[in-house]
Amino acid sequence: MRSHTPAEPRDDFDVVILGAGLNSLNLAIAFHAQYGMRSTFVMRSSVAMNEKTVTADAVALPLGTSDEEFAEALVELARRRPAGRPALLLTNDDTLIAFIDRFREQLEPHYLLTQIPRSLLDQLADKAEFAEICAGLDIPTPPTVTVDFSRAGQEGWNGHEELPWQFPVVAKPARTSDYAHVDFPGKRKVFMLESEQERRDLVESLTNAGFRGRFLFQELIEGDDTTLRSITAYRSTRGRVTLLCAAQVLLGEHTPEALGRPAAMITGSFPELTAQAERFLDHVDYVGFANFDLKVDPRTGEAYFLEINPRIGRNNYYVTGAGEPVSRHIVADRIDGVDLDQVVVDREVLYSIVPRLWVRRYIRDRHLRRRFDRIARRALRNPFRYGPERLWIKAYSVVSGANFVRKYLRVYPRPTDSGF
C-alpha cells in the first residue's frame, strides 16, 4: 500500500485483539490503514512487536493469568469505555477462539463477537468432517484414510491396516485441539511418512501417548511450496460473502511447529478456487473471516482443498497489502450494519516476511521466477515495513528475515518435490 493516509478516518468504535505476534499485528495494521485508529492488544505475555507498533496499544496480563481472570480483565477493559460505544473483539488464534466461545455469555454484553457458534466451529475444526462437507459439494480434497484412536485396540480398528497408496504419505491430526496436549518424541504438526514402518511407529507413538482423537493419513499430492494456495474470505451476518482474496504460496515455514504457514505469497486471480470457497461458506452458513489452504497437483492442475481455518489467518496482510484492508468488511457488517459490494481481490502483490532473494532461490519454475521478479520490483509488501511504523519495527524486519534464513538452512535448505 503506497498511501499511508487513512482512507476513512473514524473514532466511533474500538477494536480489541486477543493474542500476540504477527497473528494480531496484521489485523491491527488493517484497522490503522483504513481508519487511522489504534487497536488494543490484550496478551498473556509481552511480545515486543506488539508493544512497539504504532497501530495498537498493548495490555500484557500477568504470567499465569487464568481464563477466568482473562475474561474478567476484558470485562473491566470494556467498562472503561464510554457508555454505548461499540467494540469489536477479535482474535486470530485457535485457542483464543475457543476461549471467547467458552466465555461468550460474559463477554457478549460488552463486545461485538465475530465468530461462528461452537457447533459449527467444532465441525469445521475437524479436517475429516471438512472433507465430508467438501465431498457433498464436489470440492476436491486429497484421498484420505481416517483412524479413530478412541477405538484403539478394539475389534475392527483400522489403525494397523496398510494404506492403499504408495509411500510417502502425509499424516496429521483431524483436530488440532485433540493433539495439542499430547507429547511424544518426534511430534510434528504434519508428518511425511516414508515407509510402512514409519506409519506403524507413528500409530504406536500416538497410542502410547494417550491420543484419543482422529488422525488423517492422506495420499501425498506431489509439489513444492509453490503448488500451495491460500484463500481469505469474509461472509457477513446477513449471509453474503463480501471478500475473497487468493494467493499462490511461494515459500512456507518448515520448522516442525510452524510447518505449512505461508511466508511468501503472490496474490492474483483464481476465479474457480474463490467460487468454490464461496460455495462452501454459503453451504455451511458461515459468518466472519475464514482462511482456506489448498494444494494444486502439478500433474493434473487440479486443486485440492486441505482445510479451513475459522479465522482470518496469520498472514492476512497479503489482502490488506493488495489494497483491500480486511477491516472494511467486518466494520461494515458489525458496526454499520450493511454489506459491502463483493470484492474479489486480483491485484498482484508479493507478500513476504522473508528476504526477497532468499524466496527467489526456492522458485524453480523459470516463468514463475520471472513473474516474481516483476512483482517484487513494484509491489513488495512486508507488514514489518508498514509505512507509519517507527524504526524499531522496520529494523525488526531485518533481524526477523535473518532468523528465517538460519531456520531454512537448518530444516529446509533446498526446495524438494514434495515440499517436505
Side-chain angles (χ1 to χ4, degrees):
M1 301 174 68
R2 300 227 175 252
S3 172
H4 303 302
T5 302
E8 185 187 348
R10 293 181 64 164
D11 61 358
D12 57 331
F13 67 94
D14 295 319
V15 177
V16 176
I17 302 172
L18 305 188
L22 194 58
N23 276 354
S24 298
L25 181 62
N26 278 335
L27 268 175
I29 291 174
F31 285 94
H32 191 271
Q34 181 67 16
Y35 304 110
M37 65 183 298
R38 291 173 67 94
S39 302
T40 300
F41 297 131
V42 182
M43 310 175 290
R44 274 199 165 102
S45 58
S46 214
V47 175
M49 75 169 75
N50 299 95
E51 295 183 329
K52 300 289 188 180
T53 179
V54 302
T55 66
D57 300 307
V59 176
L61 301 177
L63 288 175
T65 296
S66 68
D67 283 354
E68 289 75 15
E69 291 168 332
F70 197 173
E72 184 53 43
L74 291 172
V75 171
E76 179 57 32
L77 182 64
R79 288 179 179 140
R80 299 177 200 160
R81 293 199 314 271
R85 181 179 173 88
L88 294 166
L89 184 64
L90 306 175
T91 189
N92 203 10
D93 179 284
D94 289 334
T95 58
L96 291 172
I97 287 173
F99 161 82
I100 291 174
D101 189 82
R102 178 184 170 196
F103 291 93
R104 182 181 290 270
E105 288 188 12
Q106 190 173 341
L107 297 171
E108 206 154 28
H110 306 281
Y111 294 96
L112 294 170
L113 306 186
T114 58
Q115 65 185 57
I116 56 179
R118 184 75 197 185
S119 56
L120 183 56
L121 183 65
D122 286 344
Q123 184 180 20
L124 298 183
D126 191 308
K127 296 178 181 66
E129 294 200 30
F130 169 74
E132 291 170 8
I133 296 171
C134 286
L137 297 171
D138 293 324
I139 295 174
T141 58
T144 301
V145 168
T146 302
V147 177
D148 185 352
F149 280 79
S150 69
R151 299 186 62 248
Q154 296 180 18
E155 185 177 352
W157 184 56
N158 65 342
H160 298 305
E161 295 178 4
E162 293 188 4
L163 299 173
W165 322 292
Q166 292 184 336
F167 287 89
V169 300
V170 175
K172 57 189 175 183
R175 291 171 56 89
T176 304
S177 58
D178 291 336
Y179 190 58
H181 305 296
V182 175
D183 287 312
F184 57 89
K187 179 181 176 181
R188 300 176 65 91
K189 181 181 176 183
V190 180
F191 291 86
M192 168 90 117
L193 304 178
E194 299 284 353
S195 66
E196 171 63 18
Q197 185 59 52
E198 288 189 10
R199 186 199 67 81
R200 291 175 185 171
D201 291 343
L202 175 58
V203 168
E204 183 178 358
S205 294
L206 290 166
T207 304
N208 292 341
F211 178 71
R212 293 297 177 262
R214 295 194 290 177
F215 225 78
L216 308 184
F217 295 83
Q218 296 181 328
E219 182 178 13
L220 175 67
I221 308 301
E222 288 284 354
D224 62 17
D225 290 357
T226 65
T227 62
L228 298 171
R229 304 289 183 269
S230 176
I231 299 174
T232 295
Y234 185 83
R235 189 172 186 270
S236 76
T237 53
R238 283 161 295 280
R240 185 177 185 189
V241 176
T242 65
L243 172 66
L244 289 161
C245 181
Q248 177 176 4
V249 177
L250 301 176
L251 182 61
E253 295 189 42
H254 282 266
T255 55
E257 68 279 3
L259 187 64
R261 289 180 187 168
M265 296 181 278
I266 289 178
T267 56
S269 179
F270 302 88
E272 183 177 348
L273 303 186
T274 52
Q276 290 176 318
E278 182 174 10
R279 191 162 80 247
F280 182 98
L281 296 173
D282 285 339
H283 176 79
V284 300
D285 196 21
Y286 192 94
V287 173
F289 287 111
N291 177 249
F292 294 88
D293 295 329
L294 304 85
K295 188 166 188 177
V296 176
D297 189 332
R299 299 165 299 182
T300 64
E302 183 166 35
Y304 293 91
F305 277 65
L306 304 178
E307 64 181 335
I308 180 174
N309 299 297
R311 49 188 171 79
I312 194 170
R314 179 174 184 261
N315 296 288
N316 61 83
Y317 186 66
Y318 78 88
V319 187
T320 299
E324 185 59 26
V326 295
S327 52
R328 291 184 64 232
H329 297 266
I330 195 166
V331 169
D333 179 23
R334 301 311 308 275
I335 301 295
D336 299 333
V338 299
D339 288 344
L340 299 178
D341 291 336
Q342 186 180 84
V343 177
V344 181
V345 180
D346 58 8
R347 181 185 180 190
E348 290 185 327
V349 302
L350 168 63
Y351 166 91
S352 183
I353 54 175
V354 178
R356 182 179 68 180
L357 292 179
W358 190 259
V359 176
R360 192 180 191 276
R361 77 195 293 271
Y362 286 86
I363 302 174
R364 298 185 289 181
D365 180 89
R366 68 178 185 278
H367 301 292
L368 180 57
R369 194 182 302 118
R370 282 199 292 267
R371 181 172 169 234
F372 168 86
D373 289 339
R374 173 175 55 83
I375 298 170
R377 282 193 296 269
R378 60 175 177 78
L380 174 61
R381 303 289 186 261
N382 182 328
F384 300 126
R385 297 178 188 172
Y386 173 57
E389 291 286 16
R390 292 185 288 261
L391 181 60
W392 189 94
I393 290 281
K394 294 178 179 178
Y396 178 83
S397 71
V398 178
V399 176
S400 174
N403 286 337
F404 268 114
V405 170
R406 282 193 286 272
K407 289 177 184 177
Y408 284 112
L409 285 171
R410 187 177 77 250
V411 299
Y412 191 63
R414 294 287 177 188
T416 65
D417 290 339
S418 65
F420 286 85

